[in-house]
Amino acid sequence: MEPKIEEKERQKTETWEKFWSFEGDESLFSKLLYEFREKIWVKHFLQVALDYTAKGKVLEAGSGSALSSVHLAHQRGDEITALDLATGALELAKAAAKKYNVPIQTIKHDMTALPYPDQSFDLVWNSGTLEHFENPVPVVREMLRVGKTLITIIPAKGIGFNFFLFVTQFLPQKIAVAFVEGNEHWYNLEQWKTIMEKAGCKRVHVKKIKVIGIFDYIAGIGYSS
Ligand SMILES: C[S@@+](CC[C@H](N)C(=O)[O-])C[C@H]1O[C@@H](n2cnc3c(N)ncnc32)[C@H](O)[C@@H]1O
C-alpha cells in the first residue's frame, strides 16, 4: 500500500539524517569529503551568488550544512538563514558558522511551505536540493514568494556524474550516498529554464558550471519582478 504523504516525508527526513550523520562523522573519509566540499566544491556555487547579487538578507532553503551561505556571510557579510528538514544538517551549519565566526539563523522546517511573509529575503537559494523533488515547480514558486532573487543550482549529467552514477552501483549504500544521494532528477539547461519560468520567475538566466572541470551543474537565476 502507498504510504500517506506524512509517512513519505518522514522517510525522506530519515534518509537525509543518515546522509548528514555520515558527512559529520569522525572517520577520515568523511572528514576528507567535508574538506573537499568546503574548500573546492562550494567555491563554484558561492561565485554565482557573488556574480548575481549584492549583500543582503539571504535564505538557503534545503541548506544542508549551508557551507555556501556561511562563506557568503564570511566573505560579504550577508545575513543568513539556513532552513532544512534534517537536524544533523543544521548542526553542521551551526558548526561551520562558529568556525568562521559568522552569525546565522537556523530553522528546522519544510521548504515546501516556508514560514515567512512574501518577499522577505533579497536572495533565496540552494544547491543540490531541487533535483530531489518529484515536481520542483511548486517548490521554486514557494522560494520565489519569499525572495526577490532566486538562485537554484542542480547537478547535470556529464562525465563526472555519469561516472559517479556508474560506480555507486557497486559501492555500499553508506558510501554511495556521499556522492549521489538517490532520487535525483536530471535536467538540461532548457528544461531547467522552463521549470523556473513555470514557477513564475522573471528574466530567467541559466548557465552551466563545471566543478573541478568534470562535474556539470546548472545554475538558474531568476527574479520576482
Ligand atoms: C544534497 S543536500 C544539499 C546540500 C547543500 N546544499 C550542500 O551543498 O551542502 C539536500 C538538502 O535538502 C534538504 N531537504 C530535502 N527536502 C527538504 C524539504 N522538503 N524541506 C527542507 N529541506 C529539505 C535535505 O535535508 C538536505 O539537507
Side-chain angles (χ1 to χ4, degrees):
M1 197 175 72
E2 267 288 287
K4 288 193 300 197
I5 293 286
E6 307 90 75
E7 179 65 9
K8 272 190 181 160
E9 280 308 317
R10 199 176 65 75
Q11 285 169 7
K12 207 166 161 196
T13 308
E14 274 172 13
T15 309
W16 287 114
E17 292 291 7
K18 270 188 206 147
F19 173 76
W20 291 113
S21 76
F22 177 71
E23 180 102 1
D25 80 17
E26 290 298 309
S27 71
L28 182 63
F29 181 61
S30 294
K31 281 187 173 158
L32 285 175
L33 199 64
Y34 184 90
E35 283 290 306
F36 181 66
R37 205 196 269 274
E38 184 190 353
K39 301 277 158 35
I40 298 168
W41 217 265
V42 156
K43 296 283 151 67
H44 296 78
F45 304 154
L46 179 63
Q47 197 56 47
V48 182
L50 294 173
D51 288 348
Y52 286 90
T53 63
K55 174 180 162 180
K57 215 174 151 202
V58 176
L59 173 68
E60 187 170 352
S63 63
S65 52
L67 289 174
S68 317
S69 290
V70 166
H71 281 276
L72 194 60
H74 182 62
Q75 202 158 317
R76 199 170 68 172
D78 295 60
E79 190 188 320
I80 306 293
T81 301
L83 177 147
D84 203 284
L85 279 177
T87 309
L90 297 174
E91 289 307 318
L92 286 171
K94 282 183 209 159
K98 195 168 165 203
K99 179 172 163 194
Y100 287 94
N101 198 22
V102 293
I104 66 163
Q105 298 277 338
T106 57
I107 169 166
K108 184 173 159 72
H109 208 280
D110 188 337
M111 64 186 282
T112 61
L114 295 166
Y116 302 107
D118 295 357
Q119 301 292 280
S120 23
F121 293 91
D122 298 300
L123 166 66
V124 180
W125 76 325
N126 56 37
S127 57
T129 299
L130 292 166
E131 73 278 12
H132 297 288
F133 289 89
E134 204 62 43
N135 177 8
V137 174
V139 193
V140 176
R141 190 176 293 130
E142 179 61 355
M143 290 170 67
L144 188 66
R145 181 185 67 74
V146 304
K148 295 170 191 155
T149 301
L150 221 66
I151 295 178
T152 60
I153 301 174
I154 56 162
K157 285 216 170 141
I159 298 173
F161 282 109
N162 285 344
F163 172 73
F164 269 171
L165 283 168
F166 178 72
V167 292
T168 53
Q169 301 173 81
F170 308 107
L171 294 174
Q173 175 61 9
K174 187 173 163 10
I175 309 283
V177 80
F179 300 107
V180 186
E181 296 92 2
N183 195 34
E184 283 85 4
H185 297 80
W186 302 92
Y187 303 91
N188 62 31
L189 282 175
E190 268 317 300
Q191 289 166 332
W192 193 247
K193 185 166 191 257
T194 304
I195 281 175
M196 289 190 69
E197 285 172 346
K198 265 194 186 161
C201 295
K202 308 275 191 309
R203 296 179 283 133
V204 177
H205 173 64
V206 283
K207 63 180 209 166
K208 270 261 170 83
I209 311 173
K210 273 206 185 294
V211 174
I212 59 163
I214 52 168
F215 293 99
D216 288 356
Y217 278 84
I218 295 171
I221 302 99
Y223 303 87
S224 61
S225 60

